[in-house]
């Protein structure tokens, strides 16, 4: 695996532009979770020209609906792995453009619309291992704040303090590279050529 | 203890076992995949997975934050006393487990979008019954995450498509799913019956231990071929490349109507959670998937 970066949020455009697909990032600082319902609400506010409860400029958005517990009035994050990012595809480009988000963390990758916004405005996608939720929670040191709890616990905006959060694999960079797309295209090619070889023999391993 | 209390206790325990500790066959398969994966990114993901499994056990926490929607598979002995009280007990167990373990509240009304807050809702937990002979009650807790559920597919193929058509449909489902179901996955394939039956069969195939091939040698060989062909695609752990896209493919079938050929593909993520126990008529409990120290 290639280069490893330890970065502190908020991230600058310069820092983000240096990252290339395949790099590994460990984050410290603030990260904000947001899923489907939160993205919808963000877009409504943007369209209405109204401010968000949190300034997301330079911050990473984490596609995650955490498992939390409240003890003595304080929240603890027990498990917080990524959710499927593709569901946020219709919204993310606007969030990057209008709110200045510099990194999106999730699983499964994102589509062309987000990739274009990342290239244009300077942002990257960091893939975290889906399901590795306890590992993720270990590097979340504190719940700083939570907004929009009325959307439900998984859907709320959780402002988290993280330390060495990762490894995040840069899967979409700000230069048009997309590891998920590359792997997928190659997989389809392998499938098609295996099909062509069929009838005569089973496709080779 | 009365039947309903035993069932409730056992079900809470099964849910805890399921979400905190993976069955040993799944753990072994993931450890082996970690050792054998050659793609550095794939290997890094598998290392995280194995490390995460260990941490979850150590801290007694759910492996994944998505503790899923909950299905119980019941094999009920016809002579077990108190069958009518089982479902209410399971609902209470889920409610308790949600607070005690805790589980993430995942039961949402599809029309009002309201989250019930305790994982109980209309038809949730879902209970699937099979009546067998005997006096015992066997319960399997099967919490299944949304990421892998969302990539499940069903095709009503033309019977002329044959086994080749089935294979294509499975492979294309895997290609479309990509990294979304958190590979390496377990893939259940249900064939025949009708639309509902094939999907049920595909889901039930996920309950079969990984190291247990289909007892029918022809089907076992189809499972093996699909396993090789899926992994030859190179999608890899989390869809970022590698040779472990699946840990096992399990095929189940029913006879079909002459004009229809349903094929269902059910994905299970690497966090393949299931836990089973048998309750005997004297109230004693035997845990089948996990080693449990007597409390
Ligand atoms: S697909 Fe499975 S491992 Fe992945 S996030 Fe969902 S429940 Fe967790």
């Amino acid at each position: 695996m290639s280069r490893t970066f330890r970065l502190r949020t908020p991230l600058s455009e310069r820092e983000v532009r240096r990252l290339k697909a395949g790099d590994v990032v460990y984050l410290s600082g603030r990260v904000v979770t947001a899923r489907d319902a939160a993205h919808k609400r963000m877009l409504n506010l943007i369209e209405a020209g109204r401010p968000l409860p949190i300034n997301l400029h330079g911050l990473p958005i984490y596609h995650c609906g955490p498992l939390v517990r409240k003890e003595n009035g304080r929240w603890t994050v027990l498990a917080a792995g990524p959710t499927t990012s593709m569901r946020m595809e219709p919204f993310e480009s606007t969030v990057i453009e209008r709110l200045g988000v510099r990194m999106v963390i999730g699983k499964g990758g994102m589509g062309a619309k987000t990739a274009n916004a990342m290239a244009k405005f300077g942002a990257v996608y960091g893939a975290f291992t889906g399901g590795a939720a306890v590992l993720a929670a270990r590097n979340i040191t504190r719940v700083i704040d939570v907004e929009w709890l009325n959307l439900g616990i998984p859907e709320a905006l959780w402002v988290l303090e993280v330390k060495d959060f990762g490894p995040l694999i840069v899967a979409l960079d700000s230069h048009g590279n997309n590891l998920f797309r590359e792997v997928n295209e190659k997989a389809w090619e392998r499938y098609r050529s295996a099909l062509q070889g069929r009838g005569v023999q089973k496709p080779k391993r | 203890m009365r039947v309903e209390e035993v069932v409730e206790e056992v079900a809470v325990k099964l849910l805890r076992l399921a979400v905190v500790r993976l069955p040993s066959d799944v753990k072994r398969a993931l450890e082996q995949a970690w050792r054998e994966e050659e793609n550095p990114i794939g290997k890094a993901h598998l290392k995280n997975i194995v490390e995460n499994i260990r941490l979850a056990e150590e801290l007694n926490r759910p492996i994944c934050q998505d503790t899923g929607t909950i299905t119980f598979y019941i094999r009920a002995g016809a002579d077990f006393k108190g069958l009518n009280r089982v479902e209410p007990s399971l609902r209470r167990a889920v409610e308790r487990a949600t607070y005690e373990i805790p589980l993430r509240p995942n039961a949402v009304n599809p029309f009002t979008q309201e989250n019930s807050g305790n994982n109980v809702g209309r038809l949730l937990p879902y209970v699937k019954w099979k009546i067998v002979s005997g006096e015992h009650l066997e319960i399997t807790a099967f919490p299944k995450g949304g990421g892998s559920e969302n990539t499940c597919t069903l095709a009503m193929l033309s019977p002329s498509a044959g086994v080749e058509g089935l294979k294509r449909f499975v492979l294309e489902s895997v290609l479309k799913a990509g990294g979304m179901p958190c590979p390496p996955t377990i893939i259940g394939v249900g064939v025949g019956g009708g639309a509902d039956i094939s999907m049920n069969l595909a889901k039930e195939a996920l309950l079969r231990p990984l190291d247990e091939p289909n007892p029918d040698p022809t089907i076992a060989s189809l499972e093996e071929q699909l396993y090789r062909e899926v992994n030859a695609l190179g999608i890899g752990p989390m869809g970022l490349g590698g040779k472990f896209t699946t840990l096992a493919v399990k095929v189940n079938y029913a006879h079909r109507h002459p004009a229809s050929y349903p094929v269902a593909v059910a994905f299970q993520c690497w966090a393949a959670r299931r836990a089973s126990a048998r309750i005997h008529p004297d109230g004693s409990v035997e845990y089948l998937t996990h080693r449990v120290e007597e409390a």
Side-chain angles (χ1 to χ4, degrees), chain A residues 19-40:
Chain A
L19 299 172
K20 296 269 160 57
D23 287 346
V24 177
V25 174
Y26 291 86
L27 281 182
S28 296
R30 279 174 187 226
V31 169
V32 182
T33 71
R35 293 172 37 126
D36 316 56
H39 275 78
K40 257 193 213 153

Side-chain angles (χ1 to χ4, degrees), chain B residues 27 39 69 83 193 203 211 217 225 227 251 260 264 280 285 293:
Chain B
K27 266 199 276 189
N39 180 302
T69 47
L83 288 179
K203 282 278 181 79
D211 38 21
Q225 286 168 41
Y227 171 80
V251 180
S260 41
H280 294 283
V285 182
E293 318 75 48

